[in-house]
Amino acid sequence: MSAVIDSGRRAAVERAGARPAAAPAVPDAIGEPAWVRRALIGVALGFLTLFLFVPLVSVFVQALAKGVDVYWAALVQADALSALKLTLIAASVSVPLNLVFGVAAAWAIAKFDFRGKSVLLTLIDLPFSVSPVIAGLIYMLVFGLQGWCGEWLRDHDMKVVFAVPGIVLATVFVTFPFIARELIPLMQAQGQEQEEAARVLGASGWQILWRVTLPNVKWALLYGVILCNARAMGEFGAVSVVSGHIRGQTNTLPLHIEILYNDYQFAAAFAVASLLAGLALVTLVLKYIVERRMHASAEPEKSQ
Amino acid sequence: MSSHALLLRRHSVLPGFNLSLGFALLYLCFVVLIPLSAVFLKTFTASWDTFVATVTAPRVVASYRLTFGASLLAALVNGVFGLLVAWVLVRYRFAGKRIVDALVDLPFALPTAVAGIALTSLYAANGWIGSRLPFKVAYTPLGVFVALTFIGLPFVVRTVQPVLEDLQRELEEAAATLGASRLQTFAYVVFPALAPALLTGFALAFARALGEYGSVIFIAGNMPMISEITSLLIITKLEQYDYAGATAIAVVMLVSAFALLLLINLLQAWVRRRQGR
């Protein structure tokens, strides 16, 4: 969703300028009494505990509920490994594709003025407002047996839906805007003076891209890749529609979790889920580090 | 360079315009626009009467009521608690604040299927939380609400937080000097400044909840007419090879989502104008 990106970008770009180096102590005139402060903190943390921390912890607890042996067996089971492989394939195709698209789109939008730019920006955001199930549905309509290319694909003995290509395509769709949305605002804010200077000094287009533009946006790029990868590995709805749920062939990790859970193999389901929860935690840590780096590189002179 | 490109854009010394824009447009068309147009073109192949009959069938209408109702309720709860969490994170200091701040994004990072099974097992009758409650949560519409609250949690926090950080303390000090109580200052000075961001966050959480699938289906119980969300109904129709029916319902959801997106954009444009940026 757009707010994933919005929040991330805002956190990085806006906080960079806004947050003072050290928060001053709250003056009494506009502070709340200590008991109010404590009560508000208590309620906020209570809410977060109930809705965030307990579910997160419960994943790991239930994964290990039947012991380490069951946990390990669930992870090395053949179906789990093939699901892991397919998840890695989907992510390793969709992230680079959307990375190339993001850089190309950001280069065109941020470095040039052309008609229809705002329309293009809106269209890039479009996949965020399409729900995952509908994202899967549209590929069924194009490549399914009743779809536009259905008969042609059947005649040429090719499968897209209920096969790996469909899963990859659905993943590409849902992760489509992530990297572009990180790069565009930053590259627009940076302007094109540095690139123009490089051009005047005789650099070619590719040299400008590799030596001037990309180094300037490397943290935003990494940030986009992290978010894109997390979504690619965790996507459920869109992939579920086009997968066909063939065990060992078209199951990704989230779909494998669903099958195990519906088979009442709870410990195994949570064991596989703990892998993805671990990935989510790594994503949050990386996000935190990269946000700090972006903060630092946005205003190096103000850092302590 | 073609003259067409020159007409399209203002002159620049930088190279690569045709290549980058061309690739971006081509990729956009193949990945997004052409597949998405299939939904609308497919709808046109059905007659108007069939379309209306499909999207107003009792079971479908019941699913709209649940999806929109639970999404609205979840977004409202997130509006209240999101504002509180943002306030606490910006204004107060407490142990572990940074970790809490980073973990607020967990619903963005955690795959929805994982959230779904975790919430279901917690709120089931024999779960950690469910066993302590006097009423059923899992496998009822209340379960749908719980899952959608989890999913929408970061939206309000992350839209309100930066605005609250930018808020000038002087305004509050002025209000206090003029004799306003702390509650009055919040109601008349702080809250109006936060309201647009709050509304945006609320709308984003609502929009996200409308399309949510993964976290809901585990906890909902998926009983027709009672706890079946619209996204699931689309999948059910697809599994019955009723592509036209699935597409008709999808169009209703897509149009609602686009209308909501338009509303959010208008809201943000209005706020920008009002703030004179």
Side-chain angles (χ1 to χ4, degrees), chain B residues 246-258:
Chain B
T247 311
I249 301 171
V251 164
V252 172
M253 295 310 280
L254 265 184
V255 170
S256 326
F258 290 163

Side-chain angles (χ1 to χ4, degrees), chain B residues 32-43:
Chain B
V32 179
L33 297 184
I34 293 175
L36 206 55
S37 69
V39 177
F40 294 96
L41 293 174
K42 176 85 183 170
T43 315

Side-chain angles (χ1 to χ4, degrees), chain A residues 3 18 30 32 62 98 139 287, chain B residues 27 31 92 105 121 166 182:
Chain A
I30 63 162
E32 288 81 35
Q62 302 206 44
N98 288 329
Y139 286 103
K287 191 169 170 286
Chain B
Y27 187 72
V31 174
Y92 303 148
D105 282 331
S121 68
D166 284 356
R182 193 63 193 137

